[in-house]
Amino acid sequence: MPKYKIAVIPGDGIGKEVVPAALDVLHTIGEVHGNLSFEFTEFPWNCDYYITHGKMLPDDGIETLKGFDGIFLGAIGNPKLVPDHISLWGLLLKIRRSFEQSINLRPAKYFKGLRSPLSNPNDFNLVVVRENSEGEYSEIGGRIHKNEDEIAVQNAVFTRKKSEQAIRYAFELAKNRHGHVTSATKSNGIFHSMPFWDSIFNDIKENYPDIKTSSTHIDALSAFLVTQPEKSDVIVASNLFGDILTDIGGAIMGSIGIAPAANINLTGEYPSMFEPVHGSAPDIYGKGIANPIGQIWTAKMMLDHFGQRELGQQLLDVIEDVTGDNIKTSDIGGKATTKEVTSEICKRLKAL
Ligand code: NAI
Ligand code: MG
């Protein structure tokens, strides 16, 4: 019977409300399923920890996390106590870099009971696979000269290895979805890196004869996510393109409170990290009204990552039943509390 060892970092603000909610749901899944279980180990690493210890996590923190199957994180940030760049770099980015989590995965779909800003969302259901370690976000470059002669050079870095990994991951993902991969490109405008990306995409697609593909320029693709989001299944994109597309994906769903994300270590050498898109929401912390769905859907992504896709799908269906029946927190137009939404999800899981 599989037992998953999970490191839990609730973090700051509403992380401390939505993480316990998602753990309740995972416990319930373990109970109902009977043939799998979770062992959660909680770590108190957050801005309060920083105030006491002068660091976001202990010196052996990264070493400690190595032993887990996954890291389940709420949100980090309490700008009243600690400047954001210290808390984010000190914990989140440290984990992402140390554990070579070079893919960022963000699904977006039309959600029952939510109002998408699109007049015709057409039941869209897509996922963006974003290369998350290089590309346009590189530190290579510099500035020279002063005043009107000043020049800035910013280099994008595309390695065959990281591009191949991202693209291959997208194809593998498409096998269990609707069998279509779109490559976000811009080879008509970006002279070196995008033709390189295209050629790698074309090589890899030869190995997946059953997967349909398209290559679409990023500007047109961004527009398509608004005008016909239902045409996309899996989209693979470089760091910058993926960043932009995932924000559009979140926006067309209708609330940041439901959007999940995963940072994937592709080699399996280190744990992957699962965290919702939203932050610690200090403006609503303590009121018991935080939407737990972003965190719970993130738990679904962790189940998928462990190969428990059927359970993951079941969970997502139950979440949508609940929002569809109008049991929702106020950010998405309802009156329910964090606890009420969570216990309704658990109740329906038990009734399956
Ligand atoms: P935020 O995502 O925390 O909040 C933005 C707005 O969305 C707020 O009005 C908030 O109330 C609402 N919101 C967010 N999640 C919600 C939920 N689950 N239910 C209901 N409403 C929700 O972003 P903000 O305010 O810019 O940042 C607050 C803190 O969080 C900062 O310290 C920031 O650095 C940090 N942050 C951390 C992230 C992470 O840990 N990955 C990501 C984004 C921000
Ligand atoms: Mg962004």
Side-chain angles (χ1 to χ4, degrees), residues 12 14 18 47 73-80 82-85 87-88 92 96 106 255-259 263 275-285 289-295 329-332 338:
D12 293 295
I14 62 164
V18 293
C47 291
L73 185 126
I76 298 296
N78 186 347
K80 279 199 182 138
V82 181
D84 277 345
H85 68 276
S87 54
L88 290 180
L92 268 182
R96 285 187 198 158
R106 284 192 188 178
S255 168
I256 192 177
I258 70 160
N263 301 289
E275 51 168 336
V277 171
H278 67 73
S280 55
D283 54 332
I284 56 164
Y285 170 54
I289 55 165
N291 193 338
I293 290 180
Q295 192 78 46
T329 46
S330 55
D331 58 307
I332 50 175
T338 310

Side-chain angles (χ1 to χ4, degrees), residues 137-210:
Y137 295 172
S138 94
E139 286 143 32
I140 297 181
R143 286 161 73 160
I144 189 171
H145 305 316
K146 290 281 173 241
N147 302 324
E148 67 268 30
D149 290 327
E150 190 167 12
I151 297 173
V153 174
Q154 169 71 54
N155 290 308
V157 175
F158 284 75
T159 62
R160 178 173 289 280
K161 190 170 150 197
K162 293 291 181 190
S163 305
E164 274 181 7
Q165 282 179 342
I167 292 168
R168 201 169 281 125
Y169 190 89
F171 275 93
E172 289 297 323
L173 204 58
K175 282 186 188 168
N176 294 306
R177 291 180 49 99
H178 298 106
H180 190 279
V181 178
T182 305
S183 163
T185 184
K186 191 60 193 172
S187 44
N188 61 352
I190 299 178
F191 201 81
H192 297 293
S193 57
M194 280 298 131
F196 177 65
W197 171 274
D198 286 357
S199 74
I200 294 171
F201 184 77
N202 289 333
D203 285 349
I204 289 179
K205 81 178 184 196
E206 295 301 317
N207 302 322
Y208 295 89
D210 296 335

Side-chain angles (χ1 to χ4, degrees), residues 17-306:
E17 300 175 334
V18 293
V19 166
L23 296 187
D24 279 352
V25 170
L26 284 170
H27 271 305
T28 304
I29 287 176
E31 253 170 57
V32 172
H33 189 269
N35 226 351
L36 112 182
S37 66
F38 302 95
E39 183 186 296
F40 299 116
T41 308
E42 208 168 303
F43 297 95
W45 303 335
N46 60 12
C47 291
D48 296 318
Y49 185 93
Y50 181 87
I51 293 299
T52 316
H53 297 89
K55 44 191 147 192
M56 289 299 293
L57 76 175
D59 294 337
D60 62 355
I62 292 292
E63 198 55 37
T64 305
L65 291 176
K66 268 188 196 164
F68 289 87
D69 297 319
I71 303 165
F72 195 57
L73 185 126
I76 298 296
N78 186 347
K80 279 199 182 138
L81 279 186
V82 181
D84 277 345
H85 68 276
I86 292 184
S87 54
L88 290 180
W89 279 91
L91 184 64
L92 268 182
L93 297 175
K94 201 171 196 169
I95 295 174
R96 285 187 198 158
R97 302 242 156 129
S98 306
F99 292 158
E100 293 171 22
Q101 293 167 345
S102 60
I103 295 273
N104 186 259
L105 208 56
R106 284 192 188 178
K109 73 189 287 294
Y110 172 69
F111 224 78
K112 272 190 218 156
L114 252 78
R115 200 181 310 132
S116 163
L118 302 180
S119 59
N120 196 359
N122 265 335
D123 214 11
F124 72 88
N125 186 341
L126 60 94
V127 59
V128 178
V129 177
R130 166 184 171 192
E131 200 296 317
N132 209 24
S133 68
E134 53 173 40
E136 303 86 347
Y137 295 172
S138 94
E139 286 143 32
I140 297 181
R143 286 161 73 160
I144 189 171
H145 305 316
K146 290 281 173 241
N147 302 324
E148 67 268 30
D149 290 327
E150 190 167 12
I151 297 173
V153 174
Q154 169 71 54
N155 290 308
V157 175
F158 284 75
T159 62
R160 178 173 289 280
K161 190 170 150 197
K162 293 291 181 190
S163 305
E164 274 181 7
Q165 282 179 342
I167 292 168
R168 201 169 281 125
Y169 190 89
F171 275 93
E172 289 297 323
L173 204 58
K175 282 186 188 168
N176 294 306
R177 291 180 49 99
H178 298 106
H180 190 279
V181 178
T182 305
S183 163
T185 184
K186 191 60 193 172
S187 44
N188 61 352
I190 299 178
F191 201 81
H192 297 293
S193 57
M194 280 298 131
F196 177 65
W197 171 274
D198 286 357
S199 74
I200 294 171
F201 184 77
N202 289 333
D203 285 349
I204 289 179
K205 81 178 184 196
E206 295 301 317
N207 302 322
Y208 295 89
D210 296 335
I211 306 284
K212 294 198 177 69
T213 62
S214 45
S215 239
T216 308
H217 293 306
I218 182 64
D219 40 356
L221 186 55
S222 306
F224 286 156
L225 284 197
V226 175
T227 55
Q228 42 183 45
E230 74 282 1
K231 296 271 168 66
S232 290
D233 178 19
V234 179
I235 299 173
V236 62
S238 64
N239 211 337
L240 170 64
F241 293 174
D243 193 4
I244 297 168
L245 293 173
T246 50
D247 268 29
I248 300 176
I252 59 178
M253 282 203 290
S255 168
I256 192 177
I258 70 160
N263 301 289
I264 305 288
N265 169 266
L266 288 164
T267 59
E269 190 178 350
Y270 302 114
S272 295
M273 177 162 69
F274 303 85
E275 51 168 336
V277 171
H278 67 73
S280 55
D283 54 332
I284 56 164
Y285 170 54
K287 297 182 179 161
I289 55 165
N291 193 338
I293 290 180
Q295 192 78 46
I296 297 173
W297 190 353
T298 297
K300 179 251 189 241
M301 293 188 78
M302 187 163 73
L303 289 171
D304 288 346
H305 183 72
F306 292 151

